Amino acid sequence: MPPLTDTTVPWDLLADRLDGELYDDATHRILYATDASVYRELPRAVAVPRSEADVVACIRFAAEHRLPVTPRAGGTSLAGQAVGAGLVVDVSKHLREIVEIRPGEGYATVQPGVVRDQLNAALAPLGYWFGPNTSTANRCTLGGMFGNNSCGSTSISAGTTRDHVIGARVVTADGELHALGELAPKIAQAPPAGFLANGQRYLGELLSDGQTREQIRAAFPRPEVTRRNTGYALDALLDQEGEPYNLLPLLAGSEGTLAFTTLLRVRILPLPPGGATLAAVHFGTIDAAMRAAQIAMRHQPFMCEVMDDTILRLARTNAAQAKNASFVHGDPRAILMVEFRAETNAKAQELAQAMERELLAHTATAGAKTATVFLRNPGEVAKAWALRAAGLGILGNMVGDAKAVACIEDTAVAVADLADYIEEIEALMRGYRQRTVYYAHAGAGEIHLRPVLNLKLTEDREAFYHITRDVARLVKKYRGSLSGEHGDGRVRAAFLEDMLGPEVYDYLVGLKAAFDPHQLLNPGKIVHAPPMNEGLRYAADQATPSYSTALDWSADEGLLRAAEKCNGSGDCRKLDGGAMCPSFRATLNEKDSTRGRANALREVLTRNQHEDPFASPVLAEALDLCLSCKACTSECPSSVDMTNLKAEYLYQRGDWSLRSALVSRNEWLYGMGSAAPRLGNLLLGATGAVAKRFLGVAPGRSLPKFPKQTLRKWFERRPAVPAGGKGRVYLFGDEFVNLQDPHVGRATVELLERIGYTVIWPRHATSGRAHLSKGFLDEARERADENVTLLSGLVSQEEPLIGMEPSAILGFRDEYPKLLRGEQAERAKVLAGHTYTLDEFLFSEFSRGHLTAADFGERAVRLVLHVHCHEKALGDPAKCAAALSLPKNFAVTLLDSGCCGMAGSFGYETEHFELSKRIAEQSLLRHLRGLDEEVIVVANGTSCRHQVKDLLGRRCLTTAEVLMMSYTGG
């Protein structure tokens, strides 16, 4: 690894010119060395501009020092466009303003860091939308979509980004700011000077020659290929009358190599019709699916996409995507997803059925078609499309070093040629002994093809090149586009000369030289690209380091490969829905995303130059703000488990503070205090402020008081209860409920007994949750071993184990099997299958007919439910809501809330207190402010309840407490 400090460039001079941030430290250089592609290139610095003036300052500084500049936003580029060796300029954090929306005039003006779904959320109430819809729409930005001319699943009905950009402000390589299209001044002004004028003159001279124009037309993809990102879009200028050229079609898809975009004006469209039907057509062969796509397109669908069995199989290994795949019947080789839109659902259904009839009449297709599932419910349709959108991330679930690699994933041909082209691709891949992955935009003639290669090996790096070369030749045969929407970048640029011919390729080189004579703007992309199989994430034939670990990472083939599952798709950068990733949502810093942390782990553990890589300050900085919420466990399509990766890191680092040691032993501290609670509370009140300062606990955070009686004392001293008629259940009385919130435990026991169960509470060990959170994994293993030894001999499907604090009981399901080894680990897995949160148990009993509304009282209660992050990740929030809905007069609203921000001890810590509050405000408190006092807030996590009490002054109840209220009259 080259040295990670740069003293040759006077970065302090640039920092003085910026209102935004500038970083040249090791952590940020590592974080920005990769995107969603296979490439890695350490930048010399990273700038995060706050304004257009900051961008101008960056470009001018770069021009002064002959420093390459790489524009970056969401970092989801698949061809390496967002990595570079000079100054990376990230617009995604601050340049996120929707400047104006003018529905009557049909446009919106936005800064380049505006996320596509963010814009559409603002447009929807006005009856409009921005049409192009990439699978990364919840984190990709309009600037990135313009740079790549993104298309997405709606391109067959809404076109590409190029079709909708009607104005822009850009900075050229000489640091000059220019307004183009509808953003250009309406009053007459002097012609542009500098590099923009150079570019206009070059185009004027080039395109004034009729023979040259015909040469360009013949070299570029045929007109029927609607998705085309082949080099610079000279063909898009051929129908213009001449100078000055409208440069917007040219800049769309130019990957920031000709100019840096600072503002965009985009055309907005009326929302599509509300009636929808999705036909999920199952096929036994890829060929049948491709030929069916040609038939489907004759019926003018709204979207037409395909997924193969590799995607479907891997989806079942991810908790969230397994639910989204519930519409899949059996084990099809491919599914064609065809959505029709109309004014009503009935009309949309008619359109889908008309397509189905033609498919059945087509004998070759009907012979391979196995089923058609029609989805009409908006929620089910949304789940199916969420599965399709997760395709890129799902591919990260491949275990081992061989992955589905992006190199030929962006080829596009005319729809009429698609089936024949794919048939030839299949034959070509058989020659390479490849079973290619197929998914995406069948209706647009573009299938995301991915060979499975181990790019750590020289042999597969060579195959990486040869496969791409051979596919490029095949694409040229069909006059298609080697890039339909992902761009040429580094991965395809090397083949442009062969695709277009030497003369037309030289026109691209000349265009780049006219706009950027010193090759400063994103060099090495589109033209002058280095070899496509160099500069990869891994050094060739370098052995993957192995580490002795406390947790069992064998399912991922080791700790490092668990981090390598992150392929950079950036799902953790979404800003709405779900819980991932709470710290990123609050800071918008790349280092605080799951992707950033995984990249840091991969880089440090792979390229370690120190005796102990876990002592690296890069890892300390990257992992500091991880709340261990587990959201990534289910919401990351690649199933990157950052909670356990952080626990392992803390264990390996082994540099524990006194505060961490005390937090991990909270059951001992509260056990001591509970022995004499009155005295303990007096001491807590008298010394609390001093203790907080000493331990680094935020002054604004309250400390839980010692209860008058622990749950264990209450349970053992209460009068005997008659046996229940519905059987026995075992209670896991965790340390949080037992020693801090015994009222929760009392309500749980009383509820279970009231609805007919006998509650047995054996003397088990504490959960070990606090030890896990602070990396004391040896101590956590001791507790796991003791609990599994005791409870595996008692608990069964008929007599399950029920817990109250989600983070404690769900450790049985997640960490215990990973902490233990051999037969004990197998016992832990069996025990996990019989372990439930209270909500899960109630839902299960209701589903089996053992519980009905008649088991509960008739009081009318209005509830809002906030589900604990661990229960969202390892369970099903809908089951929690269903359990609370059992009483017939309970009205339950399930909040779409993320992490509460408390996360055990995280929210107590002085350095994290303000961030904890910000996370709470963004994800939970905004739902609770203004609620009627009579509405009850339900939160089963002790941290969640504590956060709401401290920050909102509102008391939350648990499932058991609320269900017990159903029996009372007021």
Side-chain angles (χ1 to χ4, degrees):
M1 182 188 300
L4 290 178
T5 56
D6 194 330
T7 58
T8 60
V9 176
W11 297 116
D12 55 328
L13 298 181
L14 177 57
D16 290 342
R17 300 179 191 178
L18 301 180
D19 290 328
E21 301 93 51
L22 180 69
Y23 305 99
D24 66 339
D25 59 288
T27 300
H28 285 85
R29 294 181 68 193
I30 286 172
L31 293 172
Y32 285 86
T34 55
D35 52 11
S37 73
V38 296
Y39 295 102
R40 169 192 175 274
E41 194 164 14
L42 282 168
R44 297 172 76 176
V46 176
V48 185
R50 286 185 180 273
S51 64
E52 186 177 71
D54 276 0
V55 175
V56 172
C58 287
I59 303 298
R60 289 180 177 175
F61 180 86
E64 292 169 15
H65 297 277
R66 293 291 189 265
L67 186 69
V69 175
T70 300
R72 179 169 171 132
T76 58
S77 298
L78 288 165
Q81 296 99 320
V83 296
L87 176 66
V88 171
V89 181
D90 180 0
V91 300
S92 68
K93 180 175 180 178
H94 298 305
L95 299 183
R96 315 174 52 242
E97 181 184 355
I98 299 174
V99 178
E100 62 175 344
I101 297 175
R102 296 287 183 90
E105 298 173 53
Y107 70 78
T109 305
V110 300
Q111 291 183 320
V114 169
V115 171
R116 186 267 186 188
D117 281 359
Q118 173 195 356
L119 174 60
N120 276 357
L123 292 173
L126 304 175
Y128 286 82
W129 72 316
F130 177 72
N133 178 35
T134 69
S135 64
T136 57
N138 62 358
R139 68 264 191 201
C140 77
T141 69
L142 271 293
M145 292 181 73
F146 181 55
N148 281 350
N149 186 33
S150 299
C151 307
S153 57
T154 56
S155 72
I156 60 175
S157 52
T160 73
T161 302
R162 176 179 287 131
D163 301 325
H164 297 283
V165 174
I166 55 178
R169 287 168 65 93
V170 301
V171 185
T172 47
D174 51 0
E176 294 300 315
L177 182 65
H178 302 275
L180 307 174
E182 290 191 7
L183 287 175
K186 301 303 181 185
I187 60 174
Q189 59 175 359
F195 292 173
L196 188 71
N198 293 347
Q200 284 281 11
R201 281 194 297 272
Y202 178 84
L203 290 169
E205 294 170 2
L206 181 70
L207 300 181
S208 63
D209 181 78
Q211 185 175 352
T212 300
R213 294 167 66 88
E214 289 308 310
Q215 188 183 30
I216 291 170
R217 200 183 302 276
F220 274 77
R222 56 188 287 197
E224 295 84 356
V225 180
T226 58
R227 300 167 69 103
R228 49 205 296 134
N229 273 1
T230 299
Y232 296 123
L234 292 174
D235 60 325
L237 304 183
L238 296 179
D239 294 331
Q240 294 188 28
E241 294 181 358
E243 292 185 72
Y245 285 93
N246 174 10
L247 297 177
L248 295 174
L250 182 71
L251 295 180
S254 65
E255 304 177 10
T257 62
L258 303 180
F260 194 118
T261 304
T262 61
L263 194 69
L264 288 166
R265 178 167 291 176
V266 297
R267 184 180 292 111
I268 57 177
L269 306 172
L271 284 170
T277 293
L278 173 61
V281 193
H282 296 47
F283 292 96
T285 67
I286 293 291
D287 182 72
M290 296 301 102
R291 298 189 186 281
Q294 295 169 328
I295 295 172
M297 286 303 295
R298 292 204 286 264
H299 293 261
Q300 298 182 313
F302 182 65
M303 292 189 282
C304 181
E305 303 278 300
V306 74
M307 293 186 295
D308 77 352
D309 54 345
T310 301
I311 295 284
L312 298 173
R313 185 182 70 253
L314 290 171
R316 296 187 179 106
T317 68
N318 176 272
Q321 298 310 323
K323 297 172 189 173
N324 291 338
S326 60
F327 69 94
V328 179
H329 286 196
D331 189 25
R333 177 69 173 98
I335 290 182
L336 191 68
M337 301 171 64
V338 191
E339 181 175 315
F340 291 89
R341 288 288 184 98
E343 294 304 319
T344 65
N345 285 337
K347 180 61 177 174
Q349 175 77 5
E350 290 177 13
L351 296 173
Q353 289 173 334
M355 178 200 70
E356 166 77 350
R357 286 193 295 271
E358 186 174 354
L359 285 177
L360 288 173
H362 192 278
T363 54
T365 301
K369 187 170 79 70
T370 59
T372 299
V373 177
F374 292 100
L375 303 177
R376 304 173 189 87
N377 179 279
E380 294 303 312
V381 171
K383 285 183 179 180
W385 285 122
L387 174 65
R388 159 61 194 94
L392 168 60
I394 287 172
L395 292 172
N397 277 327
M398 287 185 169
V399 176
D401 292 334
K403 303 291 185 185
V405 174
C407 57
I408 57 171
E409 90 295 345
D410 203 29
T411 60
V413 297
V415 176
D417 293 332
L418 180 62
D420 294 337
Y421 167 69
I422 293 299
E423 188 174 28
E424 289 201 58
I425 285 286
E426 287 263 72
L428 177 64
M429 291 299 105
R430 283 195 294 272
Y432 282 101
R433 299 181 179 178
Q434 283 284 328
R435 189 177 188 272
T436 309
V437 179
Y438 298 86
Y439 70 105
H441 316 296
E446 175 173 353
I447 304 298
H448 289 339
L449 315 160
R450 286 180 179 241
V452 178
L453 300 169
N454 178 4
L455 295 183
K456 295 180 179 180
L457 300 178
T458 295
E459 179 184 2
D460 279 16
R461 291 156 83 101
E462 292 176 355
F464 179 51
Y465 166 78
H466 288 119
I467 288 172
T468 309
R469 178 202 62 192
D470 291 351
V471 169
R473 292 170 178 170
L474 188 58
V475 171
K476 184 173 182 179
K477 170 184 173 180
Y478 283 92
R479 271 198 72 193
S481 179
L482 192 55
S483 170
E485 64 172 334
H486 296 162
D488 296 310
R490 288 189 53 176
V491 74
R492 283 173 283 272
F495 304 100
L496 279 175
E497 185 170 1
D498 291 336
M499 295 292 295
L500 297 173
E503 289 187 0
V504 175
Y505 177 75
D506 282 344
Y507 301 156
L508 305 188
V509 173
L511 181 70
K512 170 68 171 175
F515 274 89
D516 183 14
H518 303 299
Q519 304 291 307
L520 299 181
L521 296 179
N522 217 6
K525 319 304 190 308
I526 300 183
V527 297
H528 301 309
M532 57 88 72
N533 55 351
E534 294 181 4
L536 306 182
R537 287 191 179 193
Y538 306 99
D541 301 319
Q542 177 183 352
T544 300
S546 178
Y547 297 94
S548 177
T549 59
L551 294 171
D552 181 5
W553 298 98
S554 59
D556 296 312
E557 297 187 4
L559 172 67
L560 181 53
R561 290 187 177 91
E564 290 173 354
K565 288 168 71 174
C566 175
N567 58 14
S569 65
D571 299 74
C572 47
R573 289 175 58 98
K574 65 182 180 179
L575 299 177
D576 294 299
M580 182 178 69
C581 174
S583 51
F584 173 77
R585 292 185 183 190
T587 68
L588 299 181
N589 290 328
E590 176 69 16
K591 74 177 179 64
D592 300 322
S593 67
T594 304
R595 178 177 72 181
R597 296 178 182 116
N599 279 336
L601 280 163
R602 187 201 71 250
E603 179 80 17
V604 171
L605 297 185
T606 300
R607 299 173 184 269
N608 169 51
Q609 291 185 328
H610 304 283
E611 183 177 340
D612 181 9
F614 296 98
S616 167
V618 171
L619 295 186
E621 185 175 2
L623 290 162
D624 176 49
L625 298 187
C626 173
L627 280 75
S628 300
C629 68
K630 291 187 186 291
C632 51
T633 307
S634 60
E635 293 182 31
C636 170
S638 304
S639 301
V640 174
D641 186 354
M642 194 51 62
T643 295
N644 284 333
L645 284 167
K646 181 177 182 179
E648 186 71 58
Y649 156 72
L650 291 172
Y651 173 79
Q652 297 288 343
R653 189 183 69 175
D655 181 20
W656 293 292
S657 65
L658 175 62
R659 181 176 66 187
S660 294
L662 290 174
V663 166
S664 71
R665 290 158 179 80
N666 72 87
E667 76 265 27
W668 175 79
L669 291 171
Y670 270 83
M672 292 283 289
S674 297
R678 188 171 300 176
L679 176 60
N681 286 324
L682 285 173
L683 291 172
L684 195 63
T687 64
V690 175
K692 287 179 185 179
R693 284 197 300 273
F694 178 69
L695 294 174
V697 173
R701 183 64 72 186
S702 68
L703 296 173
K705 292 184 177 180
F706 302 110
K708 293 180 181 178
Q709 186 182 45
T710 66
L711 181 63
R712 175 65 73 178
K713 286 181 181 178
W714 170 83
F715 187 83
E716 293 180 345
R717 294 176 182 178
R718 70 194 184 117
V721 179
K726 293 181 179 176
R728 306 196 309 175
V729 296
Y730 287 91
L731 183 73
F732 186 75
D734 60 84
E735 58 273 24
F736 306 103
V737 172
N738 181 34
L739 299 173
Q740 296 180 28
D741 293 323
H743 60 280
V744 173
R746 290 197 296 271
T748 302
V749 172
E750 290 168 353
L751 173 70
L752 288 168
E753 291 175 343
R754 183 147 189 170
I755 59 179
Y757 299 92
T758 299
V759 179
I760 303 170
W761 185 9
R763 283 198 164 271
H764 54 68
T766 54
S767 71
R769 170 53 55 198
H771 296 91
L772 286 162
S773 71
K774 293 301 180 183
F776 290 89
L777 300 189
D778 291 333
E779 292 85 345
R781 183 184 297 107
E782 291 173 5
R783 285 153 179 78
D785 185 66
E786 185 176 338
N787 283 327
V788 169
T789 298
L790 169 68
L791 296 170
S792 62
L794 303 174
V795 172
S796 65
Q797 188 61 45
E798 293 73 30
E799 297 182 350
L801 182 67
I802 300 171
M804 296 163 284
E805 166 58 39
S807 66
I809 191 65
L810 292 173
F812 282 84
R813 192 175 300 170
D814 187 15
E815 289 93 351
Y816 279 19
K818 299 170 185 174
L819 282 166
L820 302 172
R821 301 290 191 272
E823 291 184 8
Q824 195 72 330
E826 295 305 312
R827 293 189 190 98
K829 292 175 185 176
V830 173
L831 178 60
H834 307 320
T835 301
Y836 300 88
T837 64
L838 176 63
D839 306 78
E840 291 174 332
F841 173 72
L842 296 174
F843 179 85
S844 174
E845 292 296 275
F846 168 74
S847 301
R848 296 165 64 189
H850 297 171
L851 282 178
T852 68
D855 288 294
F856 300 90
E858 298 188 359
R859 179 179 172 183
V861 179
R862 286 196 296 151
L863 312 168
V864 296
L865 170 63
H866 167 69
V867 178
H868 189 282
C869 288
H870 289 195
E871 197 158 12
K872 286 176 187 167
L874 302 173
D876 185 347
K879 292 181 179 179
C880 303
L884 277 171
S885 301
L886 287 173
K888 64 180 181 180
N889 292 321
F890 272 30
V892 182
T893 298
L894 175 61
L895 298 179
D896 182 17
S897 53
C899 180
C900 74
M902 191 67 170
S905 67
F906 184 89
Y908 283 95
E909 296 162 357
T910 300
E911 68 273 23
H912 298 144
F913 181 57
E914 290 303 321
L915 179 64
S916 172
K917 291 198 298 182
R918 202 183 322 158
I919 291 170
E921 198 63 55
Q922 286 183 338
S923 61
L924 175 57
L925 300 188
R926 64 186 177 91
H927 294 287
L928 305 184
R929 293 190 186 280
L931 276 182
D932 292 343
E933 287 299 320
E934 65 186 42
V935 177
I936 296 172
V937 180
V938 181
N940 288 317
T942 183
S943 291
C944 308
R945 297 193 300 273
H946 198 134
Q947 183 78 304
V948 174
K949 177 180 74 71
D950 275 2
L951 301 185
L952 209 59
R954 186 159 188 158
R955 181 170 179 253
C956 299
L957 300 182
T958 62
T959 293
E961 292 174 285
V962 172
L963 291 177
M964 286 298 292
M965 289 174 61
S966 72
Y967 303 109
T968 65

